[in-house]
Amino acid sequence: MPIPAKKKPYTFADVLAWDESQRVEIIRGEAFLMAPPSIWHQEVSGELFRQLANFLVGKTCKVYHAPFGVRLFERDGDWPENVDTMVEPDISVVCDRSKLDKYGCRGAPDLIIEILSPSTRRHDRLVKLNLYQQAGVREYWIVDPENRSVQVFLPDLNGSFRIHEDYGREDVARVNVLEGCLIELSKVFAE
């Protein structure tokens, strides 16, 4: 079913009724269509996922790549009709398996990684950063393939995201929420 043109606010119940081939996020009841990722985006995402998945073999935490629905503010007892925010981060790491269900994740993942593209640059740096901060995401990475860099955001004592580290192409990035996990960025940004 195509997305209705003027219905607002949208909820997770609407998302469940739409055609699965349409990638859509809803943020506070507003629907955002998502463009297909570029090949460069996919290569960066694939390498990040590979390194995280290899590290997590045999561990409690699990890593998921888009499309993977994250209902940031859903609580126990909420119905799909009551959930007005569902995003599809490029990569999510979830350590509390009770948050997982057949649709994805209820609540905040421990780590979210968004990979910038020309169409999402502002959205990922402002809208999603604020959403993830409000939801209590413990670590947020913004990966910029164009500049071959990674910004790592962690919450301060007040829960506000602050830049913790800024990595370049040749650096080894530390995943703060996964003790001992290091990401080789030279492999992520390989040409």
Side-chain angles (χ1 to χ4, degrees), residues 1-4 13-24 33 88:
M1 176 176 143
I3 298 170
D14 296 311
V15 173
L16 293 174
W18 294 335
D19 183 342
E20 287 183 25
S21 68
Q22 294 179 321
R23 291 198 51 222
V24 179
L33 289 171
E88 289 188 356

Short mmCIF file of all heavy atoms in Angstrom, two decimals, residues 1-4 13-24 33 88:
data_model
loop_
_atom_site.label_atom_id
_atom_site.label_comp_id
_atom_site.label_asym_id
_atom_site.label_seq_id
_atom_site.Cartn_x
_atom_site.Cartn_y
_atom_site.Cartn_z
N MET A 1 0.84 -1.18 0.00
CA MET A 1 0.00 0.00 0.00
C MET A 1 0.89 1.24 0.00
O MET A 1 1.77 1.36 0.85
CB MET A 1 -0.88 -0.03 1.25
CG MET A 1 -1.74 1.19 1.43
SD MET A 1 -2.80 0.96 2.87
CE MET A 1 -2.78 2.61 3.48
N PRO A 2 0.69 2.17 -0.91
CA PRO A 2 1.51 3.39 -0.91
C PRO A 2 1.19 4.26 0.31
O PRO A 2 0.14 4.13 0.93
CB PRO A 2 1.12 4.09 -2.21
CG PRO A 2 -0.19 3.51 -2.59
CD PRO A 2 -0.27 2.15 -1.99
N ILE A 3 2.12 5.15 0.60
CA ILE A 3 1.93 6.06 1.73
C ILE A 3 0.82 7.05 1.40
O ILE A 3 0.89 7.72 0.37
CB ILE A 3 3.24 6.80 2.04
CG1 ILE A 3 4.30 5.79 2.43
CG2 ILE A 3 3.04 7.84 3.12
CD1 ILE A 3 5.67 6.36 2.53
N PRO A 4 -0.20 7.18 2.25
CA PRO A 4 -1.25 8.17 1.99
C PRO A 4 -0.66 9.58 1.97
O PRO A 4 0.22 9.90 2.76
CB PRO A 4 -2.22 7.99 3.16
CG PRO A 4 -1.88 6.67 3.76
CD PRO A 4 -0.45 6.40 3.45
N ALA A 13 1.69 1.71 13.27
CA ALA A 13 0.63 0.90 12.66
C ALA A 13 0.57 1.18 11.16
O ALA A 13 0.36 0.27 10.36
CB ALA A 13 -0.71 1.18 13.32
N ASP A 14 0.74 2.44 10.76
CA ASP A 14 0.76 2.78 9.33
C ASP A 14 1.95 2.13 8.64
O ASP A 14 1.82 1.56 7.55
CB ASP A 14 0.83 4.30 9.13
CG ASP A 14 -0.40 5.02 9.65
OD1 ASP A 14 -1.52 4.59 9.31
OD2 ASP A 14 -0.23 6.00 10.39
N VAL A 15 3.10 2.19 9.27
CA VAL A 15 4.32 1.61 8.69
C VAL A 15 4.09 0.11 8.44
O VAL A 15 4.48 -0.41 7.39
CB VAL A 15 5.54 1.83 9.61
CG1 VAL A 15 6.76 1.06 9.10
CG2 VAL A 15 5.85 3.31 9.75
N LEU A 16 3.47 -0.57 9.37
CA LEU A 16 3.23 -2.00 9.23
C LEU A 16 2.29 -2.31 8.06
O LEU A 16 2.36 -3.39 7.47
CB LEU A 16 2.65 -2.58 10.52
CG LEU A 16 3.59 -2.59 11.72
CD1 LEU A 16 2.85 -3.06 12.98
CD2 LEU A 16 4.82 -3.43 11.46
N ALA A 17 1.44 -1.35 7.69
CA ALA A 17 0.49 -1.56 6.59
C ALA A 17 1.07 -1.20 5.22
O ALA A 17 0.52 -1.61 4.20
CB ALA A 17 -0.77 -0.72 6.84
N TRP A 18 2.17 -0.44 5.20
CA TRP A 18 2.74 0.00 3.94
C TRP A 18 3.55 -1.12 3.28
O TRP A 18 3.99 -2.06 3.93
CB TRP A 18 3.62 1.22 4.15
CG TRP A 18 2.87 2.44 4.58
CD1 TRP A 18 1.55 2.72 4.35
CD2 TRP A 18 3.37 3.53 5.36
NE1 TRP A 18 1.21 3.91 4.92
CE2 TRP A 18 2.30 4.43 5.55
CE3 TRP A 18 4.61 3.83 5.91
CZ2 TRP A 18 2.45 5.62 6.26
CZ3 TRP A 18 4.76 5.01 6.61
CH2 TRP A 18 3.69 5.89 6.78
N ASP A 19 3.79 -0.95 1.99
CA ASP A 19 4.60 -1.88 1.19
C ASP A 19 6.00 -1.95 1.79
O ASP A 19 6.65 -0.93 2.01
CB ASP A 19 4.65 -1.37 -0.25
CG ASP A 19 5.39 -2.29 -1.18
OD1 ASP A 19 6.17 -3.15 -0.71
OD2 ASP A 19 5.19 -2.15 -2.40
N GLU A 20 6.49 -3.17 2.05
CA GLU A 20 7.81 -3.35 2.66
C GLU A 20 8.95 -2.84 1.79
O GLU A 20 10.05 -2.60 2.29
CB GLU A 20 8.04 -4.83 2.98
CG GLU A 20 7.23 -5.31 4.15
CD GLU A 20 7.56 -6.76 4.49
OE1 GLU A 20 8.66 -7.23 4.19
OE2 GLU A 20 6.69 -7.41 5.09
N SER A 21 8.70 -2.68 0.48
CA SER A 21 9.77 -2.20 -0.39
C SER A 21 10.02 -0.70 -0.22
O SER A 21 11.04 -0.18 -0.66
CB SER A 21 9.44 -2.50 -1.86
OG SER A 21 8.33 -1.72 -2.28
N GLN A 22 9.09 0.00 0.43
CA GLN A 22 9.28 1.43 0.67
C GLN A 22 9.99 1.62 2.01
O GLN A 22 9.51 1.17 3.04
CB GLN A 22 7.93 2.17 0.73
CG GLN A 22 7.21 2.18 -0.58
CD GLN A 22 5.88 2.89 -0.46
OE1 GLN A 22 5.17 2.76 0.52
NE2 GLN A 22 5.55 3.66 -1.48
N ARG A 23 11.14 2.27 1.95
CA ARG A 23 11.86 2.56 3.19
C ARG A 23 11.39 3.91 3.71
O ARG A 23 11.57 4.93 3.07
CB ARG A 23 13.36 2.55 2.95
CG ARG A 23 13.82 1.12 2.64
CD ARG A 23 15.28 0.89 2.80
NE ARG A 23 15.80 1.32 4.07
CZ ARG A 23 16.96 1.96 4.19
NH1 ARG A 23 17.69 2.24 3.15
NH2 ARG A 23 17.39 2.33 5.39
N VAL A 24 10.76 3.86 4.88
CA VAL A 24 10.16 5.06 5.46
C VAL A 24 10.52 5.11 6.94
O VAL A 24 10.52 4.09 7.63
CB VAL A 24 8.61 5.02 5.33
CG1 VAL A 24 7.99 6.25 5.96
CG2 VAL A 24 8.20 4.90 3.88
N LEU A 33 10.46 9.57 3.48
CA LEU A 33 10.88 8.53 2.55
C LEU A 33 12.40 8.52 2.49
O LEU A 33 13.05 9.56 2.53
CB LEU A 33 10.32 8.80 1.16
CG LEU A 33 8.82 8.58 0.99
CD1 LEU A 33 8.36 9.08 -0.36
CD2 LEU A 33 8.49 7.11 1.15
N GLU A 88 15.27 3.95 11.02
CA GLU A 88 16.07 2.84 10.53
C GLU A 88 17.53 3.27 10.46
O GLU A 88 18.02 3.66 9.41
CB GLU A 88 15.58 2.39 9.14
CG GLU A 88 14.27 1.69 9.16
CD GLU A 88 13.91 1.09 7.81
OE1 GLU A 88 14.65 1.29 6.82
OE2 GLU A 88 12.88 0.42 7.74
#
